Amino acid sequence: AMVKSTDENYKELIGTKDKLTLIKFTADCVGSSALSLMWEGTTLHQGPCKAINPILETISEKMADKIIIANHD
């Protein structure tokens, strides 16, 4: 599962030596741009910020022993 990154635990997350760490910095998606993605048979029509979340969640579950994926607001 994805982890929540905060200002308080950010340095600890990026300092993890035994796993690759990916931190997704989020903000409100601006504009009317949309992203269409095909993921596991489902087409996602959402703003790019929201469309990538299910993909990152799946990767974080399937590769939990190799990677930490965190969401930082």
Side-chain angles (χ1 to χ4, degrees):
M2 287 177 52
V3 209
K4 181 156 178 74
S5 172
T6 63
D7 292 342
E8 290 76 28
N9 72 354
Y10 175 77
K11 286 186 181 182
E12 179 184 333
L13 285 171
I14 62 170
T16 304
K17 301 287 185 213
D18 58 335
K19 293 183 181 181
L20 176 66
T21 303
L22 179 134
I23 298 189
K24 181 180 113 213
F25 293 90
T26 58
D28 291 334
C29 291
V30 293
S32 59
S33 62
L35 178 67
S36 294
L37 293 174
M38 183 65 123
W39 179 252
E40 294 185 351
T42 303
T43 303
L44 306 170
H45 296 283
Q46 298 173 344
C49 301
K50 292 180 182 172
I52 198 77
N53 283 338
I55 298 167
L56 293 177
E57 187 69 42
T58 300
I59 292 169
S60 71
E61 290 170 2
K62 291 183 177 183
M63 299 183 68
D65 58 329
K66 297 180 178 147
I67 189 169
I68 296 170
I69 300 180
N71 190 32
H72 192 103
D73 287 325

